[in-house]
Each structure stands twice: as structure tokens, then as C-alpha cells.
Amino acid sequence: MNKFMYEAIVEARKAAIELEVPVGAVVVLDGEIVARSHNLTEINNNPTHHAEMLAINKALENLGRKNLAGCELYVTLEPCAMCIGACALCKIDKVYFGAYDTKSGACGGKCDVLREECYDYKTEIFGGIEETECKKILTDFFEGIRRGRE
């Protein structure tokens, strides 16, 4: 298993325990994790508190920089338009994601924001990393919610 995606999966599991949609993210620079987070939209009552956004903000703070050139992001679910836009604006070199998102994914699952050339920085995207495990976390979470409603 990819060691950085594994760490993102650990974050996703934390989100599930907190009854957040289980998405986790880590930012990596020179082979070291510089920030990590998971979804906190429910707890923080803020729809912008996606795992990617929180990890990006922590990385900027931890590194004391205004961009993340040279960094990579590992996230368990395909980023939405907001999150992939933030990656491009922060100049993240590469984004690796696990499960594709056919409802809101903006890296090919639903649409492809970066192919529209909205941004001058070219973030590279790699999907399907540890996809089976990333999908399972989401499927198990939503099945548990459905069972709870029955």
C-alpha cells in the first residue's frame, strides 16, 4: 500500500468515527508529511472544511509559505472543484486520489476543472490510488447511515 495514501486513509477513518463523510488528506514535501486532516464540515458547521482545504491550510501555516510548490497531496476521494482549485492556486505539484466521485469529482469523475485551463499552474492528477480501500470506507460509512435510518 502507498504509505502516504495509507496515512490519508487513517485520517478518513477518524472522520468516520466523528460521523463526518470519511475523507482524509495529507500534504507531503520531500517525502515527509507536513500536514494532515480529515473532513470537519459537520463538527465545524462549515461546508468548506473539506479534508483537502484543511490540510492545505495547515501545510501553508506549518511551512510558513504562501504556496505549496514542490508538495504533493494525497486524498482518499477525488477532489471537488473548490479543492482542486485550491490545489492549483497553491501550486501543489501533484494530487493523488483514491476513489473517483461521479457526483462531485472535479478531476475526471464528474468534470475536469484543470483541463479547462482555468489556472496557470499545472497540477498533475493521478486517480485510483488504493481505490478499493478508499471506496470501501465510503461505502461502509453510508451503508451504516442507511441502516441507522431503518
Side-chain angles (χ1 to χ4, degrees):
M1 177 176 277
N2 179 289
K3 70 179 182 177
F4 298 123
M5 188 59 78
Y6 172 80
E7 293 300 325
I9 289 169
V10 168
E11 289 296 318
R13 289 183 178 136
K14 289 178 188 177
I17 291 167
E18 295 172 351
L19 301 179
E20 295 277 355
V21 173
V23 178
V26 298
V27 177
V28 175
L29 176 63
D30 297 329
E32 299 292 327
I33 294 173
V34 295
R36 59 176 61 233
S37 194
H38 54 275
N39 274 2
L40 289 172
T41 62
E42 300 297 324
I43 289 172
N44 292 345
N45 199 30
N46 187 328
T48 68
H49 284 191
H50 290 191
E52 302 97 306
M53 297 297 289
L54 296 171
I56 286 168
N57 286 325
K58 284 181 184 178
L60 290 166
E61 183 178 328
N62 291 345
L63 295 172
R65 296 169 33 183
K66 76 174 216 174
N67 71 54
L68 296 175
C71 291
E72 300 171 339
L73 175 75
Y74 290 78
V75 59
T76 58
L77 182 65
E78 178 181 357
C80 69
M82 172 184 68
C83 292
I84 200 59
C87 290
L89 289 170
C90 290
K91 300 183 178 185
I92 291 177
D93 287 355
K94 298 175 184 176
V95 173
Y96 299 91
F97 69 85
Y100 283 84
D101 184 352
T102 58
K103 290 183 178 183
S104 301
C107 301
K110 175 72 174 179
C111 65
D112 195 337
V113 169
L114 297 183
R115 284 213 178 145
E116 297 298 321
E117 298 184 6
C118 299
Y119 302 98
D120 60 352
Y121 193 79
K122 301 299 179 204
T123 298
E124 292 182 80
I125 307 295
F126 304 91
I129 312 301
E130 307 298 344
E131 184 174 16
T132 302
E133 180 66 19
C134 293
K135 271 185 177 177
K136 183 175 179 354
I137 293 167
L138 289 158
T139 301
D140 291 351
F141 177 78
F142 287 112
E143 283 177 359
I145 288 175
R146 284 192 219 54
R147 279 193 303 271
R149 289 188 203 152
E150 295 172 359

